Amino acid sequence: WMLEVQETEVVGSLNHGVSALTLIRAGDEEQAIRILEARVDTALVTLPFNREWDQLPVNVRQSLLMGRKYFAIHPPQSESKESLEHLHEVLQWIPDEPLDPKWCSPTVRLLLEGSQ
């Protein structure tokens, strides 16, 4: 069953990636950003799933910190008020800890450098 779950995630990721890339190539960057931010939103809300911060693996904590940092620079927008409220709850739940650069891709390092 784990392979099925992983396969479903990979298929969803592929579909979202192709959709965002297609929109970018068509010149609709704003819609592409909304698709990608929705993926980040979903991940932020899903990853903690009833666990305390210190129970999360370090890579999960670092990913959550990265998402929090992104939305601190680019405030989230959603068409659903309920979804936006839930995301804000999760963003407030994530502690204000520094993000370890060794866990960051070069692109995320640019995000961090640009916010200082």
Side-chain angles (χ1 to χ4, degrees), residues 28-47:
D28 192 353
E29 290 87 5
E30 286 302 314
Q31 184 62 24
I33 289 170
R34 281 193 288 278
I35 286 173
L36 296 171
E37 286 180 345
R39 294 280 297 174
V40 172
D41 178 337
T42 299
L44 286 170
V45 170
T46 305
L47 280 173

Side-chain angles (χ1 to χ4, degrees), residues 64-116:
L64 291 168
L65 288 168
M66 192 178 345
R68 182 179 189 266
K69 184 71 165 180
Y70 174 83
F71 280 131
I73 297 167
H74 305 283
Q77 299 175 3
S78 176
E79 295 175 16
S80 163
K81 182 180 178 186
E82 183 178 302
S83 174
L84 194 55
E85 287 174 359
H86 196 125
L87 176 60
H88 280 294
E89 288 174 19
V90 172
L91 292 172
Q92 289 176 350
W93 175 83
I94 298 170
D96 188 17
E97 294 180 4
L99 184 56
D100 186 342
K102 76 177 181 186
W103 289 93
C104 302
S105 69
T107 307
V108 173
R109 286 190 197 116
L110 286 174
L111 170 75
L112 295 175
E113 290 168 7
S115 69
Q116 297 175 0

